[in-house]
Amino acid sequence: MDLFHFNLQLPITDPTWIFLLVLLIILFAPILLNKLRIPHIIGMILAGLVIGEHGFNILARDSSFELFGKVGVYYIMFLAGLEMNMSDFKKNRGKAIMLGLLAFIIPIGIGMVTNMILLKYSLLTSILLASMYASHTLVAYPIVIRYGISRHRSVSIAVGGTAVTDTLTLLVLAVISGLFKGEGGGLFWLWLVVKVVVLGVLIMQLFPRIGRWFFRRYDDNVMQFIFVLAMVFLGAGLMEFIGMEGILGAFLVGLVLNRLIPHVSPLMSHLEFVGNALFIPYFLIGVGMLIDIHVIFGGGDALKVAGVMIVVALVGKWIASWLTQKIYRMSALERELMFGLSNAQAAATLAAVLVGYGLIQPNGERLLNEDVLNGTVLLILVTCVVSSFITERAARRVAMDEAHLEESNPSRMPEKILIPVANPATIEYLMSLSLLIRDPKQKDNLVALSVINDHTETDRLELQGKRHLERAAKITASAGINLQCISRYDMNIAAGIIHTAREYDVTDLIIGLHYKVNLMDSYFGKLTESLLKGLHREVMVARFLMPLNTLRRIIIAVPPKAEYEAGFAKWVEHFCRMGATLNCRVHFFANEQTTHLLQALVRKKHSGTMTEYSRLDDWDDLLLLTGQVNYDHLLVVISARRGSISYDSSFERLPGQLGKYFTNNSLIVLYPDQIGEPQDAISFANPQGNNESQHYEKVGRWFYKWFKKDN
């Protein structure tokens, strides 16, 4: 037996070695190309060219590349819809539609003329080939994700324009394909449009309801991930079933699931990780394996066809971006980013050329010949290279500008959010809330705490506390965020939380709502009361009855004079950030004066958040809000500590009203930052516990109402 006999045949067909080579390319291509300052996307395409049948023939483009390639292109379109800031898109939808129409009309117009005059193609061939110039794929989109600017205005415009352009391109492809299949009757156009519209409405109305139902009942990360993938392929499959390309369905599913998968959630992190680590690189390598350098440079018209296609596609997209910039008076950097994202040809272009290559004309010739097929592959390579370089440069400059803008702002206190973990039933909700309200530009701003009484069953409590901290750390780690875990001994839970908050300069505290044990127990519990007395920082007391990503609206009840509290701007920022991330509307209820200040603050700093404002003059009775708060809404009540500016004696009835009217609602009671040091409710220096004003306030209010009524 010859132990050193190897029978190596190319291309490699063993699945183990195929997958190993692909993984090695995905691993080492970015490492090598980082040193050469070449975008990773180009490296994957060039690697596919080298190992493909037209290169060194190391691997054949087998069914695995077709499968993973299709998953990859669906993933690109799905993530583009999922990452889109819907509030920004709604605000910029006019610009996105304009860019999409220009990016379709200009390339297809120039392309039809050049195809007929320079390439001498027929009208039908010229139209289909020109539609390929108009389409584009967001191949460079992972670059903007990596730089953290996926929610920039120009990115939202480019992504929205992609949906418009690719839809029109795929409609042209479907019509031409139908003509050759004998389906081009008078009703064909109308029937195709009706099918697309009906399916689009079905996806937009049905998929969010199915997703919300599933996420409320199943919180396992693996099940949620598989469910989302199933929805993506269901949308893509339905779109292919009616005669369109699946990428349109995948993009639409990303849009409708956008609000159910927050940007900072563990599920979003899992989706991005799997896509960027496996599916998208597989797709890019498969694109590179299609390139045949020998045919392109071996003579014939392939090089001429490729040259015309490349020039028309790049010039047409640049003119569309330039006109959009001029029409809406945008910056040159935004134009560069829109152009970079909108000129890569891949998915829709491949679909069009493969369909056209398979259509046979009456004279026996293919509608799109081999010159177009090979020229298309070179078009894909060149446009992907140009797109990646331009997007990389523009995205880096945008990220640097945003970083300088952040540094130029007045210095603010570093954020530090403390989350005590004691009840395993509330850990996931509290950690999810902290992920939604935290400042993403600050690092290491989350702290989880486990407090152990030093006089009761310390060993068991210590082990239990470690498990709670590990669970909290897993939740934040799955979202790509570091969590500082602290375990400490103290005389009681409240003292441990207060001491930790002071030692670590905590700015915000999130705790779960106390569950009443007996009739004599208070609504908030002794722990909350002790924390409010001992801390003057913002305290959120939360109770959630459903996953946060399934909430559809945030209702905030704001008392009079809340704008005079030190923490007014901070809690507004927290809930506006939460509303923007969840893509749900934030509805403020306040009196006229407070509403004006809320509107000014939101307009100045949080204009991207969808907001509504309603009058709430009679704060004494929250029963007025029962008709406004549904089961899938979050009710936020802004309260105040005794002795603060906005404190009112009606707050004493707040626990009873919440317990009576809102037992079936998710709830947050917030106590904002307070100027000065905390004081105990009753002490020798303050024997009345800051309650001395309550009685004469009631009398004064009674006289005021009587006098107003008399007048």
Side-chain angles (χ1 to χ4, degrees):
M1 182 178 180
D2 187 1
L3 296 178
F4 299 98
H5 176 70
F6 296 97
N7 185 17
L8 180 63
Q9 294 182 348
L10 297 179
I12 297 173
T13 57
D14 184 85
T16 304
W17 291 102
I18 291 176
F19 200 71
L20 173 64
L21 286 174
V22 172
L23 290 179
L24 291 176
I25 292 172
I26 297 174
L27 175 63
F28 288 108
I31 297 176
L32 175 63
L33 295 171
N34 271 339
K35 297 181 180 180
L36 302 176
R37 297 184 178 275
I38 297 176
H40 304 166
I41 294 173
I42 300 173
M44 298 299 170
I45 297 176
L46 294 178
L49 187 153
V50 171
I51 67 171
E53 58 180 326
H54 305 302
F56 291 101
N57 197 27
I58 299 175
L59 296 179
R61 197 175 189 274
D62 59 7
S63 58
S64 68
F65 284 96
E66 295 180 7
L67 173 63
F68 281 96
K70 202 151 194 175
V71 175
V73 71
Y74 289 167
Y75 231 95
I76 289 176
M77 300 302 294
F78 170 67
L79 287 180
L82 202 60
E83 288 276 355
M84 185 183 295
N85 188 332
M86 294 305 296
S87 58
D88 285 349
F89 175 71
K90 291 176 182 177
K91 186 171 60 176
N92 299 310
R93 60 177 175 265
K95 302 180 181 66
I97 293 174
M98 177 62 70
L99 175 63
L101 291 176
L102 292 175
F104 176 78
I105 295 172
I106 294 175
I108 203 171
I110 299 175
M112 287 180 59
V113 175
T114 55
N115 293 339
M116 297 180 68
I117 296 177
L118 298 180
L119 302 180
K120 309 298 182 182
Y121 286 148
S122 64
L123 177 61
L124 207 57
T125 301
S126 299
I127 293 175
L128 182 57
L129 185 55
S131 70
M132 292 164 50
Y133 307 153
S135 68
H136 60 263
T137 303
L138 295 168
V139 172
Y141 192 76
I143 294 175
V144 301
I145 295 178
R146 176 157 46 87
Y147 280 101
I149 61 168
S150 59
R151 294 175 177 260
H152 193 270
R153 179 178 69 164
S154 55
V155 176
S156 298
I157 294 173
V159 173
T162 300
V164 175
T165 303
D166 285 356
T167 300
L168 295 174
T169 301
L170 295 174
L171 282 172
V172 172
L173 175 61
V175 169
I176 293 178
S177 176
L179 290 173
F180 274 82
K181 295 177 182 178
E183 300 174 352
L187 296 177
F188 174 74
W189 286 75
L190 179 61
W191 178 234
L192 179 65
V193 172
V194 169
K195 288 191 294 185
V196 173
V197 171
V198 170
L199 180 57
V201 172
L202 179 68
I203 292 176
M204 288 187 292
Q205 295 297 323
L206 190 60
F207 278 38
R209 288 176 168 81
I210 296 174
R212 192 172 291 109
W213 173 86
F214 187 89
F215 288 140
R216 284 174 182 167
R217 284 160 178 78
Y218 304 99
D219 57 358
D220 182 76
N221 290 330
V222 176
M223 292 181 65
Q224 290 184 351
F225 179 82
I226 299 300
F227 169 77
V228 170
L229 282 188
M231 297 295 282
V232 172
F233 276 84
L234 177 59
L238 291 174
M239 197 62 70
E240 289 186 342
F241 179 74
I242 66 170
M244 296 293 288
E245 283 298 316
I247 56 175
L248 185 60
F251 177 76
L252 194 57
V253 172
L255 288 179
V256 299
L257 295 183
N258 184 291
R259 62 178 313 194
L260 296 177
I261 307 176
H263 182 66
V264 295
S265 65
L267 179 58
M268 186 67 180
S269 179
H270 297 158
L271 290 168
E272 289 182 344
F273 172 78
V274 174
N276 292 323
L278 186 61
F279 293 143
I280 295 177
Y282 233 114
F283 162 69
L284 296 172
I285 293 172
V287 170
M289 296 174 73
L290 291 173
I291 300 174
D292 188 355
I293 298 295
H294 303 91
V295 173
I296 294 175
F297 296 102
D301 294 331
L303 197 58
K304 176 183 177 182
V305 172
V308 172
M309 294 172 68
I310 292 169
V311 171
V312 173
L314 293 178
V315 171
K317 296 297 184 182
W318 188 89
I319 294 175
S321 301
W322 178 77
L323 286 176
T324 304
Q325 177 215 350
K326 294 300 181 183
I327 292 173
Y328 295 105
R329 298 180 181 179
M330 303 170 69
S331 66
L333 184 58
E334 289 179 304
R335 179 198 65 210
E336 187 175 347
L337 193 53
M338 289 188 297
F339 173 59
L341 287 169
S342 64
N343 67 43
Q345 312 284 327
T349 306
L350 280 175
V353 72
L354 293 176
V355 171
Y357 185 75
L359 297 176
I360 308 299
Q361 301 183 81
N363 58 6
E365 297 181 355
R366 297 182 181 275
L367 184 62
L368 297 180
N369 57 28
E370 292 185 356
D371 291 336
V372 176
L373 179 63
N374 290 287
T376 301
V377 176
L378 189 58
L379 168 69
I380 292 173
L381 176 63
V382 173
T383 55
C384 286
V385 170
V386 173
S387 173
S388 300
F389 272 114
I390 293 177
T391 304
E392 181 92 19
R393 185 178 66 177
R396 185 185 299 113
R397 290 171 58 191
V398 170
M400 291 172 60
D401 289 346
E402 290 185 350
H404 290 319
L405 182 64
E406 190 69 23
E407 292 174 0
S408 64
N409 288 336
S411 59
R412 54 183 298 182
M413 185 175 182
E415 182 181 73
K416 190 75 72 172
I417 302 175
L418 178 64
I419 310 100
V421 290
N423 185 356
T426 62
I427 290 176
E428 185 167 354
Y429 289 136
L430 296 182
M431 298 310 303
S432 298
L433 177 60
S434 66
L435 291 173
L436 290 173
I437 68 169
R438 67 179 287 271
D439 185 354
K441 294 184 174 62
Q442 296 192 34
K443 296 182 179 180
D444 301 328
N445 55 353
L446 295 183
V447 180
L449 170 66
S450 174
V451 180
I452 306 165
N453 291 342
D454 59 0
H455 55 78
T456 58
E457 301 182 25
T458 54
D459 293 337
R460 183 182 64 83
L461 293 176
E462 182 178 3
L463 179 60
Q464 189 179 48
K466 287 182 179 179
R467 290 175 180 172
H468 294 340
L469 291 174
E470 289 175 359
R471 183 179 173 190
K474 286 181 180 179
I475 295 173
T476 57
S478 61
I481 296 171
N482 185 43
L483 177 68
Q484 186 176 2
C485 296
I486 301 172
S487 181
R488 71 176 297 153
Y489 290 86
D490 218 307
M491 296 186 63
N492 55 66
I493 304 298
I497 296 174
I498 293 172
H499 294 159
T500 304
R502 292 173 178 172
E503 292 169 6
Y504 288 86
D505 294 326
V506 167
T507 58
D508 308 275
L509 175 66
I510 300 177
I511 60 175
L513 180 63
H514 164 74
Y515 289 92
K516 295 182 65 172
V517 185
N518 50 58
L519 292 176
M520 300 300 295
D521 199 358
S522 64
Y523 183 79
F524 290 112
K526 294 182 179 179
L527 173 63
T528 302
E529 295 172 357
S530 300
L531 294 176
L532 293 175
K533 296 173 186 176
L535 292 174
H536 64 287
R537 293 300 183 188
E538 179 179 286
V539 177
M540 286 189 184
V541 186
R543 178 192 68 199
F544 290 99
L545 304 182
M546 62 179 61
L548 275 69
N549 61 316
T550 62
L551 295 172
R552 302 185 64 181
R553 186 178 286 254
I554 301 175
I555 307 291
I556 304 180
V558 187
K561 301 181 182 178
E563 64 272 21
Y564 297 110
E565 298 289 354
F568 175 73
K570 186 166 74 171
W571 67 254
V572 172
E573 179 182 7
H574 282 164
F575 290 113
C576 285
R577 184 180 294 148
M578 183 178 179
T581 305
L582 295 177
N583 194 31
C584 64
R585 195 172 299 275
V586 181
H587 195 162
F588 295 95
F589 284 82
N591 65 13
E592 185 176 3
Q593 179 181 351
T594 306
T595 298
H596 289 324
L597 293 171
L598 280 169
Q599 290 174 330
L601 180 61
V602 171
R603 194 183 308 114
K604 180 180 179 181
K605 296 186 176 181
H606 315 288
S607 57
T609 304
M610 298 181 292
T611 55
E612 285 185 10
Y613 304 89
S614 297
R615 292 283 295 274
L616 180 64
D617 294 319
D618 188 6
W619 178 258
D620 289 347
D621 195 355
L622 289 181
L623 179 62
L624 298 172
L625 293 178
T626 55
Q628 304 290 334
V629 184
N630 295 332
Y631 73 98
D632 54 357
H633 292 175
L634 170 64
L635 173 62
V636 179
V637 179
I638 307 301
S639 186
R641 297 169 176 85
R642 289 179 180 175
S644 60
I645 300 174
S646 62
Y647 180 79
D648 188 270
S649 59
S650 61
F651 289 168
E652 300 296 328
R653 298 191 299 273
L654 184 61
Q657 293 174 344
L658 295 176
K660 182 178 180 181
Y661 301 141
F662 303 100
T663 54
N664 297 321
N665 297 105
S666 297
L667 174 70
I668 291 179
V669 180
L670 183 140
Y671 294 85
D673 282 349
Q674 184 178 348
I675 298 176
E677 294 297 325
Q679 297 180 356
D680 290 336
I682 299 178
S683 66
F684 290 106
N686 187 17
Q688 299 299 322
N690 288 327
N691 266 331
E692 66 275 10
S693 63
Q694 290 188 42
H695 302 294
Y696 68 73
E697 279 183 357
K698 292 180 181 179
V699 175
R701 188 180 295 108
W702 183 84
F703 274 111
Y704 173 77
K705 289 183 178 180
W706 176 80
F707 180 75
K708 185 176 181 181
K709 180 180 179 181
D710 186 60
N711 286 340

